[in-house]
Amino acid sequence: MVNMEDKPLIEGEIADYLLTDNGILISYSKSILRIVENIAANVALVKKITNNKKVPLLIYLKNSPVPDKETRKFSTEQLPNIYTAMAMVSKPGLAQLIMKILFKFQNPPIPIKSFTDDEKAKEWLKQFL
């Protein structure tokens, strides 16, 4: 994955991160099964990267195994604690599939939008800085 900001990536178990100069957190998702434990560790990592400040997230999605119901619930509950909004960049269809899985019975707790173009995603996120 190309790093546009010339900064070292901060490596995590489920994703690698980069905090841009304008305050958008970029996440390079990894293809591993999410469980409550690695989501909790990831939330702690994000809080460390952002100094406990809620930030907009630009996530480059990858195909990964569907987490269990408990993990999906936990993940959804954590989103508003660490992010102001989330832009998902992926090939067509993947983000929509993830949205259906995560938010089948409820609306997302933060603004979430899917994109195939990361420049458009960054533009959309700027309103949440």
Side-chain angles (χ1 to χ4, degrees):
M1 189 61 55
V2 180
N3 177 351
M4 281 79 64
E5 300 271 324
D6 274 348
K7 293 181 184 172
L9 284 176
I10 298 152
E11 295 194 14
E13 186 181 352
I14 65 172
D16 293 335
Y17 292 95
L18 178 73
L19 187 59
T20 66
D21 291 336
N22 68 358
I24 293 174
L25 185 65
I26 299 176
S27 168
Y28 300 97
S29 184
K30 295 181 180 178
S31 298
I32 71 161
L33 178 64
R34 272 82 175 143
I35 56 174
V36 169
E37 291 76 13
N38 63 18
I39 296 281
N42 196 67
V43 167
L45 176 63
V46 167
K47 285 181 173 183
K48 190 172 153 193
I49 295 167
T50 64
N51 285 325
N52 273 335
K53 183 177 181 272
K54 289 189 210 179
V55 296
L57 178 73
L58 173 67
I59 181 168
Y60 290 95
L61 292 174
K62 278 221 174 107
N63 279 319
S64 56
V66 177
D68 64 28
K69 187 177 176 185
E70 183 188 1
T71 302
R72 294 193 307 264
K73 180 178 184 285
F74 179 75
S75 180
T76 302
E77 288 166 352
Q78 294 306 308
L79 290 176
N81 297 332
I82 51 178
Y83 304 125
T84 56
M86 182 190 297
M88 299 186 290
V89 178
S90 67
K91 55 184 188 267
L94 180 59
Q96 290 81 356
L97 175 68
I98 289 171
M99 292 286 286
K100 280 188 189 128
I101 291 167
L102 280 179
F103 306 115
K104 191 154 83 177
F105 302 112
Q106 67 192 60
N107 289 324
I110 59 172
I112 295 180
K113 198 168 175 183
S114 58
F115 297 86
T116 51
D117 177 330
D118 59 358
E119 288 309 312
K120 288 182 179 154
K122 286 176 191 162
E123 273 308 304
W124 180 76
L125 284 172
K126 284 180 183 169
Q127 66 186 305
F128 302 102
L129 284 168

